[in-house]
Each structure stands twice: as structure tokens, then as C-alpha cells.
Amino acid sequence: MSALSSMETDPLRLEGKFASWLESCLGAKDPKSIGDELRKEARELFRSEPPASDLGPLPSGAVPREAALARLIKALGPGLSDSTLPARICSLNILRGAIEGCQNIGLTQSTSELLGKFFLEQCGPIKDEGEYMDEDFDEQVRDTAILSLECLAK
């Protein structure tokens, strides 16, 4: 039985899991404390190919694992685009964990390219004029993006 099907039996529960991860990220003040834990959870969840029934209706020709990954990205959207760097770092760690979980079967070339472009954008300059200016969170965003790129290259 796959990790996704054993943990999540329907699309609402799977999306509920993603929403709870986002909530944890948005509330994170120190992304190191929660990011690694959530990355491991995501890795385990994505380690096995999910049955299509766990994801609800899929477009014709969709790969279930990539559909789950797309839903994860959509759910994490507020955290990935948040100007609050701890939330972004935490969300990137979850996405990295999902990619690590997909490594045993792999992703299609187009998915890998899209994710690669996204992670490359995260490596660019980061403007943070908020309360985290004195922290090294901008470096953590880049480090996490680079580690995610490494996962895609494996």
C-alpha cells in the first residue's frame, strides 16, 4: 500500500494535510525548527505512487504523483509567495521533501523543468525590509532552493 493511500484515503484529507502544513509554515518564526520535520513528512507521503482515487478527478493523461505535487504547490502557494521569509523557507522545505519522495520513480521532464525554473527564481536576490532583515533567512531561502535543485538533478 502506498504512503499516500495508507495516510490519506480521499482528496479532502490529502488537501487537509497540505493545508495544515501551510498553517504550520505561516506560523513559523524559526523555520529550522519545523522545516525539517515537515520535509520528512512530505518525503514519506510522496515516496509511493498515489492511487488516482486518492486524488479525485484527474485530467486525461495526468500522472497521479505529479497531480498530488501540483495540489501541494497550489496549497502551499501563500507560503511560497509570502514575503515573510520563515514561511517561505518552511514551504520550500516541504516542497523539497515531496521531491525527495518522488526520486524513486522520478518526475516527467516538463515537471522537472518547471520546478527547476521556480527554484532558480528563489536563488535570486531577496528583498526583505521587514522584521527579519538582520537574520540569515534570505540565505536560507537560497540554500533550500539549491538543495531542492540538487534533488531534481538526481
Side-chain angles (χ1 to χ4, degrees), residues 62-102:
V63 178
R65 178 182 298 212
E66 292 186 1
L69 190 58
R71 292 201 176 144
L72 173 64
I73 293 167
K74 181 179 178 183
L76 291 177
L80 292 167
S81 60
D82 198 311
S83 61
T84 307
L85 296 182
R88 192 180 329 172
I89 294 164
C90 188
S91 298
L92 285 169
N93 271 307
I94 293 171
L95 188 52
R96 177 178 156 214
I99 292 167
E100 289 171 348
C102 293

Side-chain angles (χ1 to χ4, degrees), residues 13-33:
R13 279 204 225 150
L14 185 63
E15 290 180 16
K17 172 67 101 178
F18 297 163
S20 73
W21 287 348
L22 173 64
E23 187 177 321
S24 295
C25 289
L26 293 176
K29 296 296 180 200
D30 178 16
K32 288 181 184 179
S33 65

Side-chain angles (χ1 to χ4, degrees), residues 6-61:
S6 65
M7 291 177 65
E8 316 299 337
T9 57
D10 65 53
L12 294 178
R13 279 204 225 150
L14 185 63
E15 290 180 16
K17 172 67 101 178
F18 297 163
S20 73
W21 287 348
L22 173 64
E23 187 177 321
S24 295
C25 289
L26 293 176
K29 296 296 180 200
D30 178 16
K32 288 181 184 179
S33 65
I34 194 164
D36 283 340
E37 178 184 325
L38 293 176
R39 180 177 59 84
K40 290 173 187 173
E41 278 186 46
R43 181 178 55 226
E44 291 307 312
L45 190 68
F46 278 82
R47 201 165 285 262
S48 299
E49 185 76 31
S53 62
D54 284 359
L55 300 169
L58 295 175
S60 176

